Amino acid sequence: MIKVTDSHVHYHIFLRRIPQHCSSFLANVEDTRFELTYQDLEVEKAMLVPSHPCWSQDCSDGFDINLEVSRKNPELFLLWGEVNPVTCDVKKELERQYSLGIVGIKLHPVHHGFPPNGYREEEGGDKNLEFIYQFAQDNRLPVLVHTGTSVGVKSRNKFGDPMLLDDVIKDFNLNLILAHAGRPIWYESAFFLARNYPNVYLEISSIPPKNLLKVLPRLPEIKEKVIYGSDFPAYRGQNLAKHAWEVFLQVKDQGVMSDNVMRLIAKV
């Protein structure tokens, strides 16, 4: 049996509990199924990502909804924290989420409207953002950062360029996970960062399984740096476990499907 940790699940969207201005997205995810087994595969852990599918000024998006869900099945669900550096009291919110057992921090520059290197003086010197990275470093929390484009309402795609994280790699001692691997126009940049820096990982959610090795043909070279995620619910009829099976048929690697991300969160 192939064991899977899905690093990128938006369960609050599956529950259809999102802001009204995001609701048009729900038409794209009809008939999705949260099933945990398919063929010779079992999803053992699902890491819940709070991000709404659109521009948001919420402090922590769907975090507290995910918290409710995880408390009902703590053996299955793990929690990503999330804070919006533009609107949050980041110190208070991160300390609260950390006390509740988060395994890492999710940042969404495209939906929250900030450059991920905006803490640097030449980029505005955002002290909130600097605090987030420092908090992650001090508490050995991996940081999952949305990279690539988004068609969500009012998304600011200029902030999705993975190369904006080059500064973070140099300025902080923490593990960075590049969500979506820079889809669809920055795959090469994301691969470059993951291949060349020991603390950078490539997360492959939202890439259609049949296209995975077409858009990232050198993926097998860095399989120990690749992390599976589904971005569930991402498209109509998506089945959580079947999606994982289809990716496994491409990568054929237990590390990608679970072990790589579990090593990162084991350090928390």
Side-chain angles (χ1 to χ4, degrees):
M1 181 68 74
I2 301 148
K3 303 299 184 182
V4 172
T5 299
D6 191 329
S7 67
H8 204 123
V9 174
H10 297 277
Y11 200 80
H12 71 295
I13 299 176
F14 180 62
L15 298 175
R16 309 179 86 80
R17 294 174 65 181
I18 59 176
Q20 181 60 39
H21 73 279
C22 304
S23 61
S24 61
F25 178 83
L26 296 176
N28 300 326
V29 294
E30 295 289 346
D31 303 319
T32 51
R33 297 185 299 282
F34 190 81
E35 296 179 1
L36 299 177
T37 58
Y38 186 82
Q39 303 287 71
D40 295 322
L41 178 147
E42 179 183 9
V43 178
E44 285 194 315
K45 300 288 184 184
M47 301 175 71
L48 302 183
V49 178
S51 304
H52 297 319
C54 63
W55 173 269
S56 171
Q57 291 186 310
D58 288 2
C59 172
S60 56
D61 285 3
F63 175 80
D64 287 292
I65 302 171
N66 287 347
L67 178 62
E68 293 174 21
V69 171
S70 70
R71 282 176 167 170
K72 294 176 182 177
N73 192 345
E75 294 302 311
L76 173 62
F77 294 117
L78 301 171
L79 286 172
W80 285 107
E82 181 162 354
V83 286
N84 181 344
V86 180
T87 63
C88 270
D89 179 337
V90 292
K91 182 177 187 297
K92 178 180 179 181
E93 184 59 22
L94 278 178
E95 288 176 348
R96 179 181 80 94
Q97 293 182 16
Y98 186 68
S99 74
L100 296 169
I102 60 174
V103 297
I105 300 170
K106 167 70 186 301
L107 292 178
H108 208 310
V110 170
H111 286 173
H112 290 158
F114 65 91
N117 61 346
Y119 60 89
R120 295 179 66 85
E121 290 300 328
E122 62 269 28
E123 301 296 335
D126 185 340
K127 296 302 181 183
N128 279 343
L129 190 55
E130 182 178 22
F131 181 88
I132 295 168
Y133 292 130
Q134 190 65 50
F135 187 93
Q137 176 178 295
D138 293 346
N139 292 285
R140 304 180 73 188
L141 294 170
V143 179
L144 175 69
V145 185
H146 175 101
T147 64
T149 60
S150 171
V151 296
V153 176
K154 296 185 179 180
S155 296
R156 302 299 195 263
N157 285 308
K158 64 183 178 180
F159 299 134
D161 185 345
M163 291 307 295
L164 295 173
L165 289 161
D166 187 64
D167 287 326
V168 182
I169 296 165
K170 312 296 174 51
D171 294 338
F172 296 92
N173 181 22
L174 51 80
N175 288 312
L176 282 174
I177 304 172
L178 309 182
H180 315 307
R183 68 160 192 216
I185 58 178
W186 290 303
Y187 287 127
E188 290 187 8
S189 296
F191 178 84
F192 168 83
L193 294 174
R195 182 173 181 270
N196 286 285
Y197 297 105
N199 60 331
V200 181
Y201 295 78
L202 205 62
E203 188 253 67
I204 55 176
S205 67
S206 83
I207 303 171
K210 65 180 180 180
N211 293 338
L212 182 59
L213 295 180
K214 295 178 183 177
V215 299
L216 290 164
R218 298 176 64 190
L219 202 67
E221 295 179 22
I222 60 165
K223 61 183 181 180
E224 74 283 356
K225 306 290 293 298
V226 179
I227 290 173
Y228 172 72
S230 66
D231 205 20
F232 179 89
Y235 55 87
R236 291 183 182 183
Q238 185 182 22
N239 178 315
L240 187 80
K242 182 181 178 183
H243 185 100
W245 175 254
E246 291 171 348
V247 171
F248 177 76
L249 293 179
Q250 299 295 314
V251 300
K252 297 182 174 64
D253 187 85
Q254 181 66 61
V256 171
M257 302 308 296
S258 181
D259 297 349
N260 294 344
V261 73
M262 291 302 288
R263 280 197 302 271
L264 290 184
I265 67 172
K267 298 176 183 179
V268 175

